[in-house]
Amino acid sequence: MVKLDVEQAANAVMVIALFNAAGRILLGKISDRIGRKNTLVIIYALTALIMFYMSTGLMNYPIYLIAVSFIGFGFGGFLALFPSVTADYYGTKNIGTNYGFMYQAYGLSAFAGPFIIKAISFTQAFIFAGFICILAIIMAKFVKVPSQSSSDELLSKEPLRN
């Protein structure tokens, strides 16, 4: 897509990693102020815009670095927010198991990605990803956080006394 040499590709990986780390910290902090769902919607919207741009826009090395930096930044935010979102919806009693199931979506997408890219063109893959992000925004608007999960209710009750 950008025809990177080995050094440029290595630099891109380094930049993505730095922005991923920054996204975990900054987007976690932002979510404390505006809420997890609002922060996720912002990340999805930013990711969608970048995906649509990468499918049709001018792409050279500096623009590519900027685009993948934002993708890495958003991905770091997802990794910072999803454990808390899991706790919000399913309680904290079995957070390890529940988050493990949620994290499987990442693994499934890594498995499905190569099959999708074989079925459609590289450019269409970015468009597909952008539309998935828009779908995620729409779905986020309909999801409601439970007032208190049943496992948290059990944990918050005082023990019985004789």
Side-chain angles (χ1 to χ4, degrees):
M1 187 171 123
V2 186
K3 297 182 181 25
L4 304 178
D5 61 35
V6 173
E7 185 178 305
Q8 290 173 322
N11 285 336
V13 170
M14 179 189 66
V15 168
I16 292 168
L18 291 171
F19 275 85
N20 182 295
R24 292 174 194 226
I25 296 166
L26 295 174
L27 291 168
K29 185 94 171 145
I30 289 170
S31 78
D32 290 342
R33 291 198 177 139
I34 67 170
R36 289 187 248 289
K37 192 159 83 167
N38 292 332
T39 305
L40 286 171
V41 167
I42 290 168
I43 298 169
Y44 286 129
L46 178 63
T47 302
L49 289 172
I50 294 166
M51 290 292 127
F52 290 135
Y53 178 81
M54 289 181 78
S55 69
T56 59
L58 168 72
M59 194 59 63
N60 56 33
Y61 182 61
I63 293 173
Y64 174 77
L65 276 181
I66 291 168
V68 297
S69 295
F70 279 118
I71 296 298
F73 185 76
F75 188 71
F78 290 133
L79 291 176
L81 295 177
F82 282 161
S84 300
V85 169
T86 304
D88 290 346
Y89 285 84
Y90 302 106
T92 56
K93 182 178 179 192
N94 297 307
I95 185 77
T97 301
N98 291 334
Y99 181 63
F101 281 116
M102 282 194 62
Y103 198 71
Q104 290 306 306
Y106 172 71
L108 289 173
S109 66
F111 177 76
F115 293 106
I116 293 170
I117 201 71
K118 275 184 151 183
I120 60 178
S121 74
F122 198 65
T123 303
Q124 290 172 328
F126 287 109
I127 294 169
F128 180 73
F131 279 118
I132 295 294
C133 289
I134 290 172
L135 179 63
I137 292 169
I138 293 166
M139 290 170 62
K141 296 295 183 182
F142 290 104
V143 175
K144 303 247 185 283
V145 177
S147 59
Q148 187 174 31
S149 73
S150 58
S151 62
D152 281 344
E153 287 175 15
L154 293 173
L155 291 173
S156 67
K157 291 185 178 181
E158 289 190 39
L160 296 173
R161 297 180 193 192
N162 292 337

